[in-house]
Amino acid sequence: MATSSHPQLTGRALITGGTSGIGLEFARQLAERGLDLVLVARSGDRLERTAKQLEWRYGIDVETLEADLEREPDRARVVTRLSDENEPIEVFVNNAGAGLYEPLVTEDLEPHRKALEVMLWAVLELGAAASVAMRSRGHGVIINTASVSGLVPMGGYSAIKSWVKTYSEALYLQLRDHGVHVTTFMPGWVRTEFHQRTGVKTSSIPDFLWLQPERVVSECLADTERGKAISIPSKRFKVIAFLAQSGPKSAVRSVVSKINKGRQ
């Protein structure tokens, strides 16, 4: 079955990391479109508050699933929900993230292991569950949050996001003839609480490069509805992505080195 050129954002959406930052904005904008939601996050209190606010504002149904995607048992519960055919998930936003600005030259690899669990293994495991369920039905939408930083050598975080980009594009190819659309979402720098939580400095990043979550999510959903395989919000980051991939590697490494120094 060939996928539609215009994927439908309807039914019920499951969003990982759905109570803050970009994930919360996905929840708001999908709720505004009339989709019921399943929100996955670590904080039960925040989940309940967010669910009540979205239900009151948009008149939709919001289910909550408290889960730490670093833990295998918690991931298994999300897999079970994605696989449920009685209340199917039609849109899966594979979005949960973790800050990782630790040096690669280190004896302590625990922060890297935790980040890999959340942003690589969970992406693969949950993506597989959603893919199997959607392929069996012949329809569905998956949005995987990668990053423009995955195009440059900025450290462990960018290395993981590079994997997400490649994985997501490969998943698109494997599902496009089965009625399931996959969009690789590649935002640049977005003003959310993510950077404050991780404690990383952002003074080396010019103000004009920062985007608001409302914009990046809106552009991502519009690209998804148009059937695009990759969404890079804003012209400025489209240009940056092009230069990162096509520009002289020595120049790219020089720019990245300056940015990294400003974040230490």
Side-chain angles (χ1 to χ4, degrees), residues 106-236:
T106 178
E107 294 180 354
D108 181 13
L109 293 175
E110 184 62 11
H112 293 273
R113 184 199 64 77
K114 291 181 178 180
L116 286 165
E117 292 280 359
V118 174
M119 294 190 290
L120 195 158
W121 187 251
V123 169
L124 176 63
E125 189 172 1
L126 304 188
S131 298
V132 169
M134 291 177 181
R135 185 179 62 180
S136 70
R137 297 194 300 267
H139 52 84
V141 173
I142 297 172
I143 298 172
N144 293 310
T145 299
S147 172
V148 168
S149 71
L151 302 176
V152 295
M154 294 187 73
Y157 182 86
S158 66
I160 292 172
K161 289 302 185 179
S162 178
W163 179 90
V164 174
K165 173 184 178 294
T166 302
Y167 156 78
S168 187
E169 290 186 77
L171 193 64
Y172 165 82
L173 293 174
Q174 292 186 25
L175 291 174
R176 64 177 179 176
D177 293 330
H178 298 276
V180 182
H181 177 76
V182 179
T183 292
T184 304
F185 174 41
M186 298 178 61
W189 286 293
V190 183
R191 289 199 184 279
T192 69
E193 63 188 66
F194 179 81
H195 300 283
Q196 286 76 20
R197 289 204 315 265
T198 58
V200 67
K201 296 180 180 179
T202 58
S203 58
S204 61
I205 303 170
D207 285 343
F208 76 91
L209 287 179
W210 289 95
L211 299 175
Q212 296 299 323
E214 295 85 355
R215 175 177 180 177
V216 297
V217 170
S218 176
E219 290 193 25
C220 175
L221 293 178
D223 286 341
T224 299
E225 289 174 319
R226 287 193 288 264
K228 290 192 174 183
I230 298 177
S231 176
I232 303 176
S234 83
K235 291 182 179 178
R236 73 196 75 166

Side-chain angles (χ1 to χ4, degrees), residues 60-80:
I60 60 162
D61 178 66
V62 182
E63 178 185 342
T64 62
L65 184 51
E66 185 177 351
D68 182 349
L69 298 183
E70 183 189 327
R71 301 179 65 250
E72 191 280 331
D74 286 15
R75 293 197 300 270
R77 291 192 292 111
V78 183
V79 165
T80 297

Side-chain angles (χ1 to χ4, degrees), residues 13-17 22-23 26-27 30 82 89 91-96 134 141-145 185 221:
L14 187 148
I15 306 166
T16 61
I22 290 175
F26 269 114
L30 289 172
L82 286 165
I89 300 299
V91 178
F92 174 41
V93 183
N94 211 351
N95 170 78
M134 291 177 181
V141 173
I142 297 172
I143 298 172
N144 293 310
T145 299
F185 174 41
L221 293 178

Side-chain angles (χ1 to χ4, degrees), residues 3-95:
T3 186
S4 168
S5 59
H6 296 283
Q8 299 297 308
L9 295 175
T10 58
R12 182 181 285 103
L14 187 148
I15 306 166
T16 61
T19 61
S20 64
I22 290 175
L24 178 57
E25 190 57 35
F26 269 114
R28 288 170 176 157
Q29 293 195 27
L30 289 172
E32 192 172 22
R33 284 169 161 81
L35 278 75
D36 292 326
L37 303 175
V38 180
L39 301 182
V40 179
R42 291 180 298 177
S43 171
D45 290 342
R46 192 163 186 170
L47 275 168
E48 293 305 320
R49 288 197 305 271
T50 303
K52 289 178 181 178
Q53 291 169 356
L54 292 170
E55 287 179 330
W56 175 81
R57 181 172 182 180
Y58 299 104
I60 60 162
D61 178 66
V62 182
E63 178 185 342
T64 62
L65 184 51
E66 185 177 351
D68 182 349
L69 298 183
E70 183 189 327
R71 301 179 65 250
E72 191 280 331
D74 286 15
R75 293 197 300 270
R77 291 192 292 111
V78 183
V79 165
T80 297
R81 185 62 189 87
L82 286 165
S83 305
D84 187 351
E85 287 301 321
N86 294 318
E87 295 183 311
I89 300 299
E90 298 288 352
V91 178
F92 174 41
V93 183
N94 211 351
N95 170 78

